[in-house]
Amino acid sequence: MNPRSIRVRLSLWYSGVLGLLLVTFSVATYLGLERYLTSVLRQSVISQAREVVPLFSHLDNKDEQREIVELRAHYAPEASNRFLRVRRDTGSVIYVSGVPKDQSFDPAEVPSAQPPLVEESTQDVFLSGGKRLLVHAIPFETRDGRRLIIEAGATYAQVDNVTSNVWMIFAFSLPLFMVVAVAGGYALTRRALRPIDEITRRAEQITSQNLSERLPAPKTNDEVERLSVALNRMIERLERAFESIHRFSADASHELRTPLTILRGELELVAQRRDLSPAIGETISSALEEIDRLTKITESLLVISRLDAGESGHESQEFNLAELARVTTEQMTFLASEKEIELCCDTPVSAQIHGNPLRIKQVLVNLLDNAIKYTPEKGKIKVAVAVANGCVTLEVADDGPGINTASLPHIFERFYRVDKARTRKFGGVGLGLSIAKSICVAHGGNIKVESAEGQGSRFSVHLPAAVTRSHSAKHQDGPDSHPAIHCQSNELSQTYPKK
Ligand code: ADP
């Protein structure tokens, strides 16, 4: 879990605020309830004390004992766990209730309110063992002028009982609420952010090859919809910019071809003249070489701009790559024989793929052309095709000079040449491999290179096998294998012994 993600931060904020609210609510409820129960208890002891006052206020000294008997029978404070005491203001006790039924306190322990007591008062009285009693005292005068004090009291046991129960309920339910709230909040934010995940996933799939695709824009009229719409507008602008770049490159390359052809023709005419001095003849032949290079560059740029515009899929068809490899290798044998290079081909009977055969042939020609160009005389070049796991692999391996480690990551970049002087000598312009890569990507495949300086190079092209496979391809794959759409592996790396 990433603690800095919106999901986690939102959940933490939400849970923090909710937790604070719940704790405040619980404390307020607890304090309110305690206050209310205490006030109910107070009202009850006050009214009990006030009920007893009239019994004594109209009596003479001689009737006291009769009234006490009445009091015991009528109120029975012990049965209701209450405390009741009648005493003279001199301190002598006329009546005190006995030990309550629940034995919660000892009435003998309850201290007297300190005289002079002139008006009613309520106070908390603390007894041994931390017990608390709420006692209400009423001083009054009897008919014969004696001053008596009635004290009625009750323990806080019931209040404490209820409040501690409520406290327990809060203590158990609060963490439970919090866990449910955090989990619920996390799930809710996850759900709320899911459209963004979907937008991100789809945005990741958009490349220069499929700029016509758009992101999903949920009709929610909120930030997610605005984000998606804004990104779609940006992709639209990019699509238009890419289109105009492609059109410009294609137009420029196309427009350059005609004047170059004319220039070449005219220079060739001049070169045929007999009255030319050797120096001018040499200049013309050097100019013709440069025109060749320029023509090669413009043609390559035209190919690249067409590929970037997604042209390769236009003439797509199912064909046998093994057959194409055999024929192309055959055709290139003449070029290899000039340097006495041994060129061999190892292919299965059939390796069906879907694509533009002319473009795939161009990949093989570019790879073979490089291999023949850079491999020294009497060298060896091997072409191989194999089918495995729904993937067709084409390899071109040579035992030429190889490519140094620093250059390897760049050789598929446009106009990249390892050794400019050497490449120029061979007529290379640094576009052959980038064209090969663009063709492979446009066919849903990829191209890789394994090389080390002085140890030759091996280029591997991986392409998805055609879904309807020929009998031979089935034979190679095995009866249970399924054709895959994307090729990522280097299945053919075992075809050659490791260099
Ligand atoms: P170029 O048209 O210059 O050959 P590429 O794009 O085909 O351009 O190749 C890029 C660079 O990769 C070349 O300049 C060359 O140095 C290197 N390279 C390509 N293929 C091979 C090979 N088979 N052996 C050695 N170096 C190679």
Side-chain angles (χ1 to χ4, degrees):
M1 198 191 289
N2 174 10
R4 283 189 297 176
S5 72
I6 296 184
R7 199 176 298 167
V8 172
R9 276 190 295 161
L10 262 179
S11 306
L12 287 179
W13 265 105
Y14 153 82
S15 325
V17 171
L18 187 77
L20 205 72
L21 282 175
L22 279 175
V23 168
T24 314
F25 168 78
S26 309
V27 171
T29 308
Y30 177 82
L31 291 177
L33 187 70
E34 190 186 38
R35 226 182 137 93
Y36 170 73
L37 292 175
T38 307
S39 98
V40 168
L41 188 70
R42 172 175 286 134
Q43 285 308 317
S44 124
V45 291
I46 289 175
S47 58
Q48 191 178 27
R50 283 182 186 162
E51 269 178 43
V52 177
V53 170
L55 295 180
F56 286 88
S57 58
H58 65 279
L59 290 181
D60 291 335
N61 194 18
K62 55 184 181 325
D63 296 325
E64 262 177 19
Q65 285 312 311
R66 185 170 50 84
E67 206 50 51
I68 284 166
V69 174
E70 171 95 354
L71 193 73
R72 271 204 186 102
H74 199 76
Y75 288 97
E78 297 85 358
S80 56
N81 301 320
R82 292 293 173 104
F83 168 76
L84 191 64
R85 184 162 61 191
V86 184
R87 62 181 172 88
R88 298 183 189 91
D89 68 346
T90 53
S92 59
V93 175
I94 299 170
Y95 165 78
V96 64
S97 56
V99 175
K101 203 170 71 182
D102 65 358
Q103 314 238 322
S104 54
F105 64 93
D106 180 5
E109 263 189 64
V110 181
S112 307
Q114 289 306 308
L117 194 64
V118 282
E119 56 186 29
E120 291 186 35
S121 70
T122 312
Q123 61 174 342
D124 280 342
V125 171
F126 293 92
L127 307 179
S128 61
K131 286 171 196 151
R132 214 157 43 111
L133 213 64
L134 183 71
V135 178
H136 186 72
I138 306 178
F140 65 98
E141 208 165 283
T142 57
R143 207 168 57 169
D144 55 358
R146 285 171 305 126
R147 288 190 61 76
L148 299 183
I149 297 166
I150 300 282
E151 291 165 302
T155 58
Y156 277 93
Q158 265 185 328
V159 175
D160 290 347
N161 210 4
V162 174
T163 50
S164 69
N165 272 343
V166 168
W167 185 243
M168 288 287 280
I169 290 170
F170 283 153
F172 278 109
S173 56
L174 257 178
L176 205 73
F177 278 155
M178 285 307 294
V179 170
V180 173
V182 171
Y186 188 77
L188 272 178
T189 40
R190 200 185 157 96
R191 207 186 150 96
L193 293 174
R194 201 172 292 154
I196 295 188
D197 274 346
E198 178 61 13
I199 291 171
T200 314
R201 196 182 61 78
R202 294 278 290 273
E204 292 280 7
Q205 289 166 356
I206 294 183
T207 64
S208 60
Q209 301 292 316
N210 58 350
L211 275 172
S212 58
E213 282 184 22
R214 292 291 175 270
L215 304 174
K219 297 267 170 274
T220 44
N221 196 20
D222 61 359
E223 289 81 358
V224 178
E225 187 185 351
R226 284 198 288 281
L227 172 75
S228 193
V229 168
L231 286 174
N232 277 339
R233 285 197 198 120
M234 190 185 78
I235 296 168
E236 202 177 314
R237 288 195 293 276
L238 280 174
E239 188 186 10
R240 264 187 262 129
F242 264 74
E243 261 171 25
S244 79
I245 292 169
H246 291 155
R247 217 176 304 122
F248 173 78
S249 323
D251 290 350
S253 318
H254 197 264
E255 290 305 315
L256 278 171
R257 270 202 316 187
T258 319
L260 280 173
T261 316
I262 296 169
L263 205 61
R264 179 170 231 295
E266 286 175 351
L267 277 176
E268 276 171 351
L269 273 180
V270 176
Q272 283 166 11
R273 280 173 53 176
R274 287 163 189 258
D275 55 342
L276 282 185
S277 67
I280 292 179
E282 220 168 272
T283 312
I284 289 175
S285 91
S286 155
L288 277 171
E289 262 175 38
E290 290 308 316
I291 287 172
D292 277 350
R293 261 175 61 74
L294 262 175
T295 310
K296 216 170 174 181
I297 291 176
T298 48
E299 269 164 11
S300 298
L301 285 175
L302 191 60
V303 171
I304 287 176
S305 58
R306 280 179 182 160
L307 283 170
D308 286 350
E311 170 255 39
S312 84
H314 293 168
E315 287 140 54
S316 190
Q317 56 175 266
E318 190 175 325
F319 65 95
N320 184 357
L321 179 64
E323 178 68 28
L324 184 96
R326 282 193 293 272
V327 171
T328 313
T329 311
E330 185 80 38
Q331 289 164 349
M332 303 283 284
T333 314
F334 170 71
L335 215 59
S337 64
E338 282 180 1
K339 288 172 82 177
E340 292 178 57
I341 290 172
E342 187 192 327
L343 181 54
C344 60
C345 187
D346 174 13
T347 63
V349 179
S350 172
Q352 295 295 122
I353 63 162
H354 244 292
N356 183 334
L358 286 179
R359 289 288 176 234
I360 299 295
K361 183 178 175 113
Q362 193 165 6
V363 173
L364 184 55
V365 168
N366 286 5
L367 295 179
L368 274 175
D369 185 55
N370 277 348
I372 295 170
K373 248 181 344 197
Y374 300 113
T375 303
E377 285 185 3
K378 297 193 171 57
K380 204 172 167 191
I381 299 171
K382 193 166 179 181
V383 177
V385 175
V387 187
N389 303 324
C391 187
V392 176
T393 307
L394 164 73
E395 278 198 355
V396 176
D398 64 62
D399 58 359
I403 301 162
N404 62 55
T405 324
S407 300
L408 270 182
H410 306 288
I411 57 161
F412 294 104
E413 289 169 14
R414 286 167 193 181
F415 293 109
Y416 185 84
R417 282 157 291 172
V418 176
D419 177 345
K420 287 201 172 92
R422 190 185 69 174
T423 313
R424 196 180 167 83
K425 190 180 93 188
F426 290 122
V429 292
L431 287 170
L433 287 180
S434 65
I435 289 177
K437 185 178 176 182
S438 295
I439 295 173
C440 293
V441 171
H443 281 77
N446 60 41
I447 180 166
K448 287 174 182 167
V449 60
E450 280 173 60
S451 186
E453 218 164 356
Q455 294 179 43
S457 312
R458 175 169 35 208
F459 288 87
S460 334
V461 171
H462 304 280
L463 295 165
V467 179
T468 45
R469 295 165 300 163
S470 70
H471 174 75
S472 148
K474 274 183 194 166
H475 179 72
Q476 289 260 344
D477 282 354
D480 294 323
S481 62
H482 299 282
I485 304 302
H486 294 291
C487 297
Q488 313 246 328
S489 51
N490 272 324
E491 287 86 359
L492 253 191
S493 48
Q494 305 97 316
T495 310
Y496 297 98
K498 218 76 200 127
K499 283 171 196 154

